[in-house]
């Protein structure tokens, strides 16, 4: 997704903008640019390709000033090119706009503006905004922007600067995230928090419809009618070094290794004197769940896989009927629901467009929504009736790792919390399980210490063109997640399948060139998994098994075995995830992939 940064203050704006864009790079992009008010003139520098190309352009043609906006573009309308890169400008080159989102009615607006003699230079949707502001610019940039956005349909976060009002940035948020950073004699804005953490931790997370005017001295926020409003200031708990790779070659590897600490932090925050405490953002009481007869979990990608594990946990432990929907399906299927239906939205970023739309669909049906989210104050968190924060810290790698296991941890606790309310587990049984779950960080560390074993397996199979991941029961979603991790960072085709389904078709894919990862820890379906491994071997397939320490039987069957420590079945997905993440990571590295910024992907998909 596109990244936006804006600065007004007394520092050299070009350095601030470029540093911010580097921090936003992980969001995925194909071109980048900045616009600066330099000696009273608007100067735009932009280029297709990676940020390094923009940096080289700025080294050749430096530009200085104290007010400016920057952008990394993830193309939606108009191919990646210098001309289509943002900022986009008006006819006279006096107004510059950066935009994240999609203007759905841009074509009709563009036709109308061309009839009014506006000259367009790009084939982006964004450029219409610059010309609309120009059209309404009558000496007041805020009013011009306010009138311009009233003609827009779609989702957008925009920032605008103009030569005519060189001391300010005007910003609008509708459907795509935008955060204000409050500094001393300086103020910033960005698509999300990491870009500004080097300057301030005091942030204002704009709501849909909000407009903001930033000058060096102050930030004023207005609603769509142009009336002044106040917004809460959030102090971000993250430290700058969390945004740094440290000694790791990639953020993804760092975040894989952070998982034990993340779970320890969650244990500390959520388990107090043997009681489960989701914090004040939870905003629910036990009585709110007494009549919950059905749960619908809706999410995307890895978060959907976490929700799928959540289904097994909620049904097994709390005996509550639970469905899991992919958000882009949920939002359009007009689900049959009743007042006793609870919707759970799971999202690391808290900004995923489809999951946000699913939440709004649930609210439109007067359903209560509990969200499981990482980013504090994100849109999904703010629009939910209650939030369980997963406290995973900033997750920079596009492939979700530590957020996934943190989601699983929170879903496990919520299942136990609900089991107490539903009386499906007694106090003693819940306490025993809480003692079990406290061992997870140490068990994770025992796995991560053996990364070299996974690296060896990766070396053996990184040239494969197809992979299959098989799992059963609560580890069927683990198979889906292992396949997604591999395909999204290595670009190798991988399919995750319920192992019992193999003979209904996928077994035709088995040959010695298609490695099969069989997730077979000690469990109620272990013997069934052995049979599936036999089926694969009987057809010449090669098997990489994830099994429980001490399991000698599987060693006789599988070509490679990676052992995980013994753990109760319902906790096994939290451990199984680690070797699958490491396998995907090392295969991608061996294939020379851009692990943290895989092609075509963005960290947070804020457009439909
Ligand atoms: C997972 O590795 C991917 N990056 C992607 O599937 C991601 O899980 C999905 O886009 C959902 O993102 P969210 O958790 O921020 O809503």
């Amino acid at each position: 997704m596109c990244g936006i940064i804006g600065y007004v203050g007394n520092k050299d704006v070009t350095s601030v903008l470029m540093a911010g864009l580097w921090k936003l790079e992980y969001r995925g992009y194909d071109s980048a640019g900045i616009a600066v008010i330099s000696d009273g003139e608007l100067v735009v520098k932009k280029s297709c390709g990676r940020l390094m190309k923009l940096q080289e352009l700025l080294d050749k043609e430096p530009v200085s000033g104290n007010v400016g906006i920057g952008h990394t573009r993830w193309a939606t309308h108009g191919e990646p090119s210098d001309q289509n890169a943002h900022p986009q400008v008006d006819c006279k080159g006096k107004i510059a706009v950066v935009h994240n989102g999609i203007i759905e009615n841009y074509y009709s607006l563009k036709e109308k503006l061309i009839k009014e003699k506006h000259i367009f230079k790009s084939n982006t949707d964004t450029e219409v905004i610059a010309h609309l502001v120009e059209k309404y610019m009558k000496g007041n940039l805020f009013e011009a922007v306010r009138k311009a956005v009233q003609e827009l349909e779609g989702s957008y976060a925009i920032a605008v600067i103009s030569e005519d009002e060189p001391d300010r940035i005007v910003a609008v948020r509708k459907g795509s995230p935008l955060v204000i950073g409050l500094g001393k004699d300086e103020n910033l804005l960005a698509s999300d928090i990491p870009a500004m953490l080097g300057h301030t931790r005091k942030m204002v997370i704009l709501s849909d419809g909000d407009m903001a005017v930033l000058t060096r001295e102050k930030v004023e926020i207005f609603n769509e009618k142009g009336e002044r409003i106040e917004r809460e200031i959030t102090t971000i708990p993250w430290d700058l070094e969390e945004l740094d790779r440290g000694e790791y070659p990639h953020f993804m590897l760092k975040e894989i290794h952070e998982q034990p600490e993340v779970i320890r932090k969650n244990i500390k925050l959520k388990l107090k004197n043997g009681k489960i405490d989701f914090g004040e953002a939870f905003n629910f009481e036990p009585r709110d769940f007494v009549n919950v007869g059905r749960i619908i979990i809706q999410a995307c990608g890895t978060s959907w896989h976490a929700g799928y594990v959540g289904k097994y946990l909620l049904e097994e432990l709390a005996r509550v009927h639970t469905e899991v929907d992919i958000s882009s399906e949920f939002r359009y299927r007009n689900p049959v629901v009743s007042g006793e239906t609870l919707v759970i939205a799971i999202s690391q970023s808290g900004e995923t467009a489809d999951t946000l739309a699913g939440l709004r669909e649930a609210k439109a049906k007067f359903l209560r929504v509990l969200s499981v989210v990482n980013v504090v104050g994100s849109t999904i968190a703010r629009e939910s009736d209650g939030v369980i924060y997963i406290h995973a810290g900033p997750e920079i790698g596009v492939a979700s790792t530590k957020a996934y296991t943190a989601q699983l941890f929170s879903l496990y606790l919520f299942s136990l919390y609900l089991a107490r309310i539903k009386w499906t587990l007694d106090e003693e049984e819940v306490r025993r399980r809480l003692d079990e779950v406290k061992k997870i960080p140490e068990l994770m560390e025992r796995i991560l210490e053996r990364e070299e074993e996974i690296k060896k397996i990766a070396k053996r199979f990184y040239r494969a063109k197809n992979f299959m991941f098989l799992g059963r029961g609560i580890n069927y979603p683990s198979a889906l997640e292992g396949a997604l991790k591999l395909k999204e960072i290595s670009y190798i085709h991988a399919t995750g399948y319920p192992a019992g389904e193999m003979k209904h078709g996928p077994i035709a894919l088995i040959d010695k060139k298609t490695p099969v990862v069989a997730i077979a820890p000690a469990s109620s379906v272990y013997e069934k998994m052995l049979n599936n491994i036999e089926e694969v071997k009987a057809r010449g397939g090669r098997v990489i098994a994830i099994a429980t320490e001490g399991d000698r039987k599987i060693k006789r069957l599988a070509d490679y075995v990676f052992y995980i420590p013994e753990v109760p079945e319902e906790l096994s997905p939290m451990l199984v995830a680690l070797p699958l993440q490491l396998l995907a990571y090392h295969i991608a590295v061996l294939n020379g992939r851009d692990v943290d910024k895989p092609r075509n992907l963005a960290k947070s998909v804020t457009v439909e």
Side-chain angles (χ1 to χ4, degrees):
M1 290 303 97
C2 305
I4 290 175
I5 179 82
Y7 177 81
V8 52
N10 42 30
K11 291 175 184 148
D12 167 45
V13 68
T14 301
S15 333
V16 174
L17 296 178
M18 286 307 291
L21 292 180
W22 282 111
K23 288 280 183 228
L24 290 170
E25 208 195 8
Y26 74 91
R27 294 167 65 91
Y29 69 103
D30 46 56
S31 55
I34 65 170
V36 169
I37 306 287
S38 180
D39 296 332
E41 262 189 59
L42 180 73
V43 177
V44 176
K45 299 288 180 189
K46 56 187 187 177
S47 80
C48 188
R50 308 306 281 181
L51 271 178
M52 191 47 80
K53 272 192 70 184
L54 177 61
Q55 188 60 60
E56 286 160 6
L57 176 60
L58 289 164
D59 292 344
K60 271 206 305 278
E61 304 163 12
V63 61
S64 61
N66 300 114
V67 182
I69 51 179
H71 187 265
T72 49
R73 180 174 183 246
W74 191 77
T76 54
H77 294 65
E79 75 290 355
S81 69
D82 290 357
Q83 199 47 62
N84 288 338
H86 298 197
Q88 290 293 323
V89 299
D90 66 324
C91 302
K92 302 187 198 73
K94 296 173 70 159
I95 297 167
V97 176
V98 291
H99 162 231
N100 180 15
I102 291 180
I103 307 302
E104 288 167 2
N105 63 332
Y106 89 97
Y107 196 77
S108 56
L109 289 172
K110 185 167 178 174
E111 278 187 323
K112 203 166 128 209
L113 287 160
I114 287 170
K115 284 201 187 87
E116 294 166 2
K117 308 284 181 246
H118 285 264
I119 314 289
F120 279 78
K121 302 183 193 73
S122 81
N123 46 21
T124 65
D125 55 338
T126 303
E127 192 180 353
V128 297
I129 304 171
H131 292 285
L132 280 173
V133 174
E134 177 185 18
K135 172 178 172 180
Y136 292 116
M137 187 65 177
K138 307 266 184 288
N140 182 321
L141 183 61
F142 171 76
E143 277 307 315
V145 174
R146 197 171 71 82
K147 289 197 181 93
V149 298
Q150 282 167 359
E151 297 200 27
L152 304 180
E153 287 165 23
S155 70
Y156 49 85
I158 64 172
V160 187
I161 58 175
S162 162
E163 257 179 32
D164 296 341
E165 296 188 26
D167 66 338
R168 64 196 52 213
I169 302 172
V170 176
V172 190
R173 184 236 150 111
K174 189 166 183 300
S176 289
L178 204 55
V179 185
I180 305 282
L182 304 173
K184 190 174 173 335
D185 285 339
E186 62 181 15
N187 290 298
L188 303 95
L189 59 85
S191 306
D192 65 10
I193 294 160
M196 301 186 286
L197 264 185
H199 303 274
T200 178
R201 281 190 184 175
K202 284 170 63 184
M203 308 248 177
V204 173
I205 296 163
L206 294 182
S207 297
D208 271 1
D210 286 0
M211 293 189 66
V213 179
L214 288 74
T215 59
R216 175 180 304 191
E217 301 77 21
K218 63 182 176 182
V219 173
E220 293 176 296
I221 299 173
F222 305 85
N223 61 20
E224 285 160 306
K225 297 195 207 75
E227 297 153 347
R228 272 294 305 271
I229 51 175
E230 292 302 320
R231 284 281 178 234
E232 186 193 347
I233 297 175
T234 306
T235 301
I236 302 301
W238 297 343
D239 295 321
L240 202 54
E241 56 272 11
E242 291 189 86
L243 299 173
D244 192 284
R245 269 197 331 241
E247 78 277 10
Y248 290 97
H250 297 101
F251 277 107
M252 182 178 175
L253 188 59
K254 176 185 175 218
E255 288 153 9
I256 289 172
H257 284 273
E258 282 178 341
Q259 291 178 100
E261 265 326 293
V262 167
I263 301 299
R264 274 197 187 90
K265 182 174 175 185
N266 274 277
I267 289 168
K268 195 156 138 278
L269 288 170
K270 293 191 170 88
L271 297 185
K272 293 179 178 152
N273 317 317
K275 290 268 177 266
I276 296 170
D277 176 357
F278 292 118
E280 61 185 60
F282 185 55
N283 200 28
F284 282 109
E285 297 297 331
R287 65 172 176 275
D288 296 324
F289 299 105
V290 170
N291 297 322
V292 166
R294 183 168 161 236
I295 293 174
I296 299 178
I297 298 173
Q298 58 104 15
C300 300
T302 288
S303 295
W304 177 66
H305 298 150
Y308 216 128
V309 172
K311 167 190 167 67
Y312 285 92
L313 295 171
L314 287 160
E315 293 197 340
E316 175 64 24
L317 302 174
R319 306 306 297 158
V320 176
H321 170 72
T322 303
E323 296 162 49
V324 195
D325 266 272
I326 287 176
S327 299
S328 52
E329 292 300 313
F330 175 74
R331 66 183 288 194
Y332 293 116
R333 74 176 175 87
N334 189 18
V336 175
V337 292
S338 73
E340 296 178 352
T341 304
L342 170 72
V343 171
I344 298 180
I346 304 176
S347 175
Q348 185 285 128
S349 63
E351 300 296 349
T352 297
D354 284 322
T355 308
L356 177 58
L359 178 155
R360 289 172 176 166
E361 170 72 7
K363 304 288 285 179
K365 291 178 179 290
F366 305 104
L367 301 179
R368 286 172 307 160
V369 178
L370 168 65
S371 62
V372 177
V373 170
N374 190 30
V375 178
V376 174
S378 55
T379 308
I380 287 172
R382 285 182 298 132
E383 294 195 15
S384 299
D385 296 292
V387 190
I388 296 178
Y389 281 116
I390 64 170
H391 305 292
E395 187 176 68
I396 306 299
V398 164
S400 187
T401 50
K402 62 177 181 173
Y404 176 64
T405 48
Q407 288 165 345
L408 297 183
F409 179 82
S410 288
L411 288 165
Y412 182 67
L413 289 197
F414 182 67
S415 304
L416 294 179
Y417 172 86
L418 215 47
R420 287 298 297 126
I421 295 166
K422 298 287 186 181
W423 291 92
T424 50
L425 293 179
D426 65 24
E427 193 75 41
E428 186 42 41
E429 175 60 11
V430 169
R431 192 172 304 117
R432 186 188 66 74
R433 288 171 179 273
L434 291 180
D435 290 341
E436 278 292 344
V437 83
K438 287 176 186 165
K439 298 173 190 162
I440 288 293
E442 189 256 329
L443 300 179
M444 285 181 157
E445 281 162 348
R446 280 169 47 189
I447 291 171
L448 295 172
E449 282 158 10
R450 298 165 35 230
E451 179 177 350
E452 274 311 304
E453 289 179 40
I454 292 286
K455 211 166 164 178
K456 284 201 188 81
I457 294 173
K459 279 199 183 102
R460 188 80 190 68
F461 292 105
Y462 77 98
R463 290 193 185 85
K465 295 287 173 270
N466 297 285
F467 265 79
M468 188 180 286
F469 290 74
L470 300 177
R472 278 180 179 257
I474 200 166
N475 280 305
Y476 160 42
S478 300
L480 297 175
E481 174 59 11
L484 176 62
K485 283 285 93 54
L486 182 66
K487 69 182 108 175
E488 68 172 328
I489 63 172
S490 71
Y491 317 153
I492 293 171
H493 176 257
T495 183
Y497 241 87
E501 191 59 11
M502 272 263 290
K503 51 191 153 319
H504 300 284
I507 201 162
L509 297 173
I510 300 300
D511 61 23
K512 64 179 186 319
K513 294 201 209 74
T514 304
V516 174
V517 179
I519 301 163
S523 73
S524 54
V525 288
Y526 170 73
E527 294 299 333
K528 302 287 178 202
M529 279 306 296
L530 287 190
N531 296 338
N532 297 131
I533 292 172
E534 297 261 15
E535 287 166 10
V536 172
K537 294 300 294 170
R539 287 153 183 86
R542 287 178 299 165
V543 173
I544 303 160
I546 311 285
T548 298
E549 282 167 357
D551 177 352
R552 294 283 161 257
K553 210 191 277 185
I554 206 159
K555 206 165 177 60
R556 290 197 294 277
L557 272 178
D559 299 274
Y560 298 84
V561 182
F562 183 87
Y563 288 106
I564 64 172
E566 179 149 16
V567 72
E569 183 167 358
E570 66 274 9
L571 296 179
S572 61
M574 266 187 259
L575 296 189
V576 162
L578 275 60
L580 299 181
Q581 294 163 356
L582 288 169
L583 183 65
Y585 173 79
H586 285 293
I587 287 177
V589 168
L590 287 164
N591 280 290
R593 301 302 185 204
D594 188 349
V595 171
D596 284 333
K597 299 183 293 301
R599 68 184 180 196
N600 308 338
L601 285 176
K603 181 58 184 171
S604 171
V605 183
T606 56
V607 293
E608 197 175 340

